[in-house]
Amino acid sequence: METISYSMARLAALVPYPPRDANKYTRGRLVCAVGCDRYPGAAVLGSRGAEVMGAGYTQVITDASVADHVRAANPSVVVSVWPDVDPAQLPPAREGHPCAYVVGSGYDAGDSMTKIRTRLVLENAQAPVLLDAGSLDAATSQKLRDILERRAHDGFANVFTPHGGEAARMARPLGIETDDAPELARQLARAYCGTVMLKGPVTYVCDGETVVRMDEGTAALAKAGTGDVLAGMTGALLAQGLSPLDACVLGATLHAFAGQEAAKRLTDICVRAEDVIASIPQALMRLAQAG
Ligand SMILES: NC(=O)C1=CN([C@@H]2O[C@H](COP(=O)(O)OP(=O)(O)OC[C@H]3O[C@@H](n4cnc5c(N)ncnc54)[C@H](OP(=O)(O)O)[C@@H]3O)[C@@H](O)[C@H]2O)[C@@H](O)CC1
Ligand SMILES: Nc1ncnc2c1ncn2[C@@H]1O[C@H](COP(=O)(O)OP(=O)(O)O)[C@@H](O)[C@H]1O
């Protein structure tokens, strides 16, 4: 199996700078079904990462207890609360009005609502869906794998962003046993009918065919919440119309650059997930110079 890397020029060409006549909807809408009582911070971090990464209209659907945290931290994000959401009204992606979804950041794998909400999004979102955190565990059920297969058949992208522990939990029920990270990413991508970003000190992205290696990361990123930021950033790139493979590779690279830029100011010790978001502009400038 061949593993490739994207050149800086290729990555720079993917950055979705808005055209002069853009409006917030043409730039792309990202709907984030994220956060729960236990993990409100994941909803704040993911939605803020998405806005800074360029989504034109960022929405959060979450628990009532989380909604006010998100509103207070990110007033530009549009927040709705679960019982008020009509699944049939979830916005679709359409020509000129791209849209994508993130589901699962800040979901508890052991909470019964996690499977229900993940299924609701996968069944109703006529758009790319990125599954993160608790939704990755939910995706192991036969019912959800059937829905993932049907979505892929209907042309709707599924994207998965597991860390090593989550990837192992996705692999186990399917009898996938390899310890080789790029091979694991490839087998998971095929088994779950989508694109897998297997995160770690080196991150591998695979759409079932091509495996892309991204080794720009820094141990400064090994801190709670940085994965929630990455899910929001990558979701924002999907929402701006990038393909799943390109969105994952560009998202992971800019996240890594942002971690490095934050560490230059703050040291590897002090960087927090919030600082990674604050450094996305420097990451973009660095990519523009390198490309
Ligand atoms: N501020 C907030 O609201 C935040 C909210 N968050 C939310 O918390 C939820 C739970 O997410 P989670 O990642 O903490 O726990 P979970 O998925 O159960 O796995 C943890 C176990 O897996 C294992 N493990 C193996 N390899 C690993 C690796 N490479 N990286 C990490 N772990 C690895 C490891 O076990 P070990 O191998 O060390 O025994 C470990 O015990 C989720 O919804 C997330 O969005 C967080 O983002 C933090 C900020
Ligand atoms: N040692 C490391 N070197 C480079 N990147 C790392 C390292 N440790 C973690 N990361 C990156 O930090 C992020 C952590 O994501 P995740 O484990 O999902 O965190 P959380 O669930 O707390 O948000 C991933 O993008 C991962 O690639």
Side-chain angles (χ1 to χ4, degrees):
M1 182 193 26
E2 195 199 358
T3 300
I4 65 162
S5 295
Y6 279 26
S7 69
M8 288 301 140
R10 181 173 178 181
L11 286 164
L14 290 172
V15 176
Y17 287 103
R20 189 165 164 68
D21 62 353
N23 69 46
K24 59 182 180 275
Y25 294 115
T26 61
R27 286 188 72 176
R29 182 201 295 248
L30 183 69
V31 182
C32 304
V34 292
C36 69
D37 267 3
R38 190 167 172 199
Y39 301 122
V44 173
L45 292 166
S47 57
R48 187 181 290 173
E51 287 199 291
V52 178
M53 197 63 259
Y57 192 103
T58 303
Q59 257 174 283
V60 165
I61 307 174
T62 193
D63 284 337
S65 64
V66 179
D68 285 341
H69 288 287
V70 179
R71 291 190 182 106
N74 304 339
S76 43
V77 168
V78 178
V79 184
S80 40
V81 171
W82 268 113
D84 304 336
V85 175
D86 175 358
Q89 299 298 320
L90 290 178
R94 55 190 176 89
E95 188 63 37
H97 291 72
C99 176
Y101 288 73
V102 170
V103 61
S105 308
Y107 279 7
D108 199 329
D111 181 344
S112 60
M113 292 312 290
T114 291
K115 199 176 280 181
I116 293 169
R117 290 174 179 174
T118 305
R119 178 175 170 176
L120 197 147
V121 171
L122 288 173
E123 279 186 328
N124 291 282
Q126 294 178 32
V129 176
L130 182 156
L131 292 86
D132 187 38
S135 290
L136 299 169
D137 294 90
T140 59
S141 78
Q142 184 62 52
K143 180 72 206 170
L144 263 70
R145 281 191 283 125
D146 289 346
I147 297 171
L148 289 164
E149 189 177 357
R150 194 170 65 238
R151 281 177 48 82
H153 179 265
D154 292 344
F156 296 120
N158 305 309
V159 176
F160 307 86
T161 54
H163 60 52
E166 290 158 341
R169 298 204 294 268
M170 291 173 75
R172 206 170 301 125
L174 303 187
I176 296 172
E177 289 187 342
T178 180
D179 286 332
D180 180 62
E183 178 59 18
L184 177 58
R186 191 182 70 85
Q187 290 193 29
L188 289 175
R190 292 194 171 183
Y192 285 91
C193 305
T195 296
V196 168
M197 168 159 33
L198 177 52
K199 302 177 294 189
V202 177
T203 289
Y204 292 94
V205 181
C206 182
D207 60 2
E209 299 295 333
T210 308
V211 182
V212 186
R213 177 185 159 94
M214 198 293 299
D215 60 6
E216 302 283 353
T218 156
L221 289 168
K223 204 174 269 185
T226 56
D228 304 320
V229 173
L230 177 60
M233 291 174 67
T234 307
L237 293 170
L238 286 169
Q240 289 170 88
L242 273 73
S243 73
L245 195 73
D246 287 348
C248 288
V249 180
L250 181 61
T253 306
L254 287 171
H255 182 257
F257 281 2
Q260 290 179 22
E261 295 298 320
K264 277 187 203 163
R265 284 185 289 116
L266 300 166
T267 76
D268 283 357
I269 297 282
C270 300
V271 171
R272 301 160 306 156
E274 296 89 319
D275 304 311
V276 177
I277 298 171
S279 297
I280 295 172
Q282 285 78 44
L284 280 167
M285 288 182 241
R286 176 165 155 190
L287 182 57
Q289 279 161 9

